Amino acid sequence: MKSVPVKVEHEGKWVPTTMGIGEDRIRIDAPLGCEIPYKSMVDLEEKKNQVMIATGVNAEKIYRIASVEKVLSVLKKFVITQCSAYRLNAFFMSPAIRGGVLVQDARWDKGVIAVMKTGIWFVSQDTQVCIPLDDVADIELTSREIQEKNLDVVKIDHLVENEVVTSFVLCPLTTLQVLYNFLKEATHDYEVNEEIDPLTGQVAMLVYSGMDSGAIENMLQLSHKDLDAVYEQLLSKGFAEVLYVRKEVQLTAKGVRYISNAMKSSTG
Amino acid sequence: MGKILIVDDTMFMRTLLKNILFSGGHDIVGEAADGTEALAKYQELKPDLVTMDVVMPKMNGIEALKAIKAADPSAKVIMCTAVGQEQMVKLAVKSGARGYIVKPFQAPKVLEEVKNVLSA
């Protein structure tokens, strides 16, 4: 088991220690002094130079580990490929569409997809991509032309730094439906059930497109007060959040999910 | 910066695109609500670039793209359609489209795609 220097959160403070990364478990030395089998891990989250690993059925035990990117990258790969999560070998393309524009150099990457408590992870030889579940805007089973064949894929729309990105997952048809169902189940709590009136929908679309309040008032011939009332609806339904001043908002993943669905059901 | 013809059957989307492109310094020389009108306006206005919706009445965007390319093989057309219709990309590219944007779209990405196509 190779030991590397890390910092761990212990009693609310970051404490330097060493961590061993083994084939089937990690060891964290004093003050934690514990071994954690990968199979007991149910969740993995990342922040800058930090990962959070959760164990237990309900992710009740949480370990926060900080280290350099190289160490965390190795750790994440072991966790994702061996943890207790729905996992399968798949091809993925992320990002395939960014902000509504096809990414020209997008390519299929062969690796592993793992659906954890708070995020969907793709890991390959060269890449590690995490899509937090609360950033998922839409999941759809669709078809895509790959090497001149129409193949079924799972399409995931998600937010990356307030930009909507579409990623695709390709795997054998027998497991694709299972993956789709699993992803739908995992994101069930984020589904949009509310309806909004056409005007509010149009405002949501304009906010998403990057229009500011002035431009929206102009385009839709709305007064300042009318637009404020529409923003109030978007905010109260959780479709938008205040950006930097009360009068400018941006869509949340929920709002993006709503307008993506609205576009799908329109004639295009 | 270029002279752009916007083709979409909904006024809302045309207005949105017009605002986005105008904010990027482009000159909107005309608008069309279907493929037939798009072809006529293209021949009349000779724009540098066309943003073309796919699903439209009378003549759809793919047919209009083919007609415009037949009349002017150097025409620059960016296809624009709803999410979930990305499989149209191959057909549009085969028919001569230079770029593709998917609704709902975000202004910076649209302007970037337009810039790329205009400078190609």
Side-chain angles (χ1 to χ4, degrees):
Chain A
M1 193 181 275
K2 190 173 179 181
S3 287
V4 289
V6 295
K7 282 185 179 175
V8 292
E9 196 184 57
H10 179 61
E11 294 174 352
K13 290 179 183 168
W14 286 98
V15 182
T17 182
T18 49
M19 176 179 69
I21 302 178
E23 289 299 316
D24 64 346
R25 64 192 57 222
I26 59 170
R27 184 199 70 240
I28 302 175
D29 296 326
L32 296 191
C34 62
E35 289 196 351
I36 313 165
Y38 297 122
K39 283 197 185 318
S40 69
M41 299 175 184
V42 295
D43 199 16
L44 175 69
E45 284 185 74
E46 67 176 345
K47 278 185 191 169
K48 198 180 174 186
N49 297 330
Q50 254 186 64
V51 293
M52 188 277 298
I53 291 170
T55 62
V57 181
N58 296 311
E60 54 269 19
K61 180 74 181 162
I62 291 168
Y63 301 89
R64 288 191 173 82
I65 302 164
S67 190
V68 294
E69 194 182 328
K70 197 176 170 185
V71 168
L72 294 182
S73 173
V74 172
L75 174 63
K76 283 186 285 181
K77 193 168 182 179
F78 272 108
V79 174
I80 294 159
T81 53
Q82 296 192 55
C83 69
S84 173
Y86 177 74
R87 186 175 50 239
L88 75 159
N89 293 326
F91 288 88
F92 61 92
M93 184 188 282
S94 182
I97 301 169
R98 188 181 275 276
V101 178
L102 290 163
V103 176
Q104 295 296 327
D105 56 353
R107 62 183 177 88
W108 288 101
D109 221 348
K110 189 180 181 183
V112 169
I113 176 171
V115 186
M116 297 184 148
K117 283 213 180 287
T118 56
I120 304 162
W121 283 86
F122 299 117
V123 176
S124 72
Q125 192 70 31
D126 306 315
T127 53
Q128 293 180 339
V129 177
C130 177
I131 303 173
L133 292 183
D134 56 6
D135 285 345
V136 173
D138 192 27
I139 290 176
E140 190 187 359
L141 195 56
T142 183
S143 66
R144 190 168 174 85
E145 195 171 310
I146 300 161
Q147 293 176 344
E148 299 185 352
K149 284 180 194 164
N150 256 336
L151 298 176
D152 289 329
V153 294
V154 170
K155 174 173 165 287
I156 305 170
D157 291 333
H158 52 105
L159 294 178
V160 178
E161 291 166 356
N162 296 319
E163 189 168 64
V164 176
V165 163
T166 298
S167 301
F168 292 106
V169 183
L170 172 69
C171 58
L173 196 56
T174 46
T175 46
L176 198 67
Q177 184 70 47
V178 178
L179 172 67
Y180 169 73
N181 290 342
F182 202 90
L183 289 172
K184 286 297 273 187
E185 183 63 33
T187 55
H188 180 260
D189 290 348
Y190 303 98
E191 277 182 16
V192 182
N193 298 312
E194 294 98 329
E195 274 301 314
I196 53 177
D197 61 79
L199 175 64
T200 309
Q202 287 188 336
V203 170
M205 175 73 76
L206 295 176
V207 168
Y208 174 80
S209 297
M211 301 289 117
D212 62 23
S213 295
I216 295 171
E217 285 168 17
N218 235 351
M219 275 185 69
L220 299 178
Q221 298 293 297
L222 292 175
S223 70
H224 201 64
K225 198 177 163 187
D226 291 340
L227 182 60
D228 198 45
V230 173
Y231 278 173
E232 202 52 61
Q233 272 205 58
L234 290 172
L235 292 169
S236 67
K237 289 180 187 293
F239 282 23
E241 59 198 2
V242 173
L243 189 53
Y244 51 86
V245 287
R246 170 65 184 83
K247 295 295 175 272
E248 296 297 344
V249 299
Q250 66 182 14
L251 292 199
T252 58
K254 187 178 177 184
V256 174
R257 180 181 283 234
Y258 180 84
I259 62 158
S260 293
N261 289 340
M263 287 310 306
K264 245 183 284 176
S265 56
S266 76
T267 57
Chain B
M1 305 309 113
K3 295 188 297 175
I4 299 178
L5 170 65
I6 296 172
V7 186
D8 198 298
D9 61 334
T10 65
M11 186 187 280
F12 175 73
M13 291 311 295
R14 292 200 304 271
T15 312
L16 173 56
L17 270 171
K18 196 158 66 176
N19 270 270
I20 291 173
L21 295 169
F22 186 74
S23 73
H26 300 288
D27 187 9
I28 314 306
V29 291
E31 294 176 35
D34 60 62
T36 311
E37 195 184 352
L39 181 59
K41 288 261 172 89
Y42 184 85
Q43 288 169 331
E44 179 198 337
L45 303 166
K46 302 282 181 217
D48 300 321
L49 184 140
V50 180
T51 65
M52 179 78 75
D53 187 18
V54 172
V55 182
M56 290 185 296
K58 294 186 190 171
M59 183 193 283
N60 72 35
I62 299 286
E63 288 168 357
L65 165 69
K66 286 178 183 169
I68 287 173
K69 292 297 280 189
D72 176 6
S74 66
K76 293 178 173 177
V77 180
I78 291 178
M79 302 307 288
C80 177
T81 191
V83 67
Q85 295 177 328
E86 294 87 359
Q87 65 271 29
M88 300 295 282
V89 172
K90 198 95 175 180
L91 183 57
V93 170
K94 270 185 190 164
S95 306
R98 298 283 188 92
Y100 210 92
I101 53 180
V102 181
K103 300 175 199 171
F105 42 67
Q106 289 171 312
K109 291 293 162 186
V110 173
L111 293 174
E112 193 180 308
E113 183 75 351
V114 166
K115 187 182 166 191
N116 289 342
V117 172
L118 281 173
S119 61

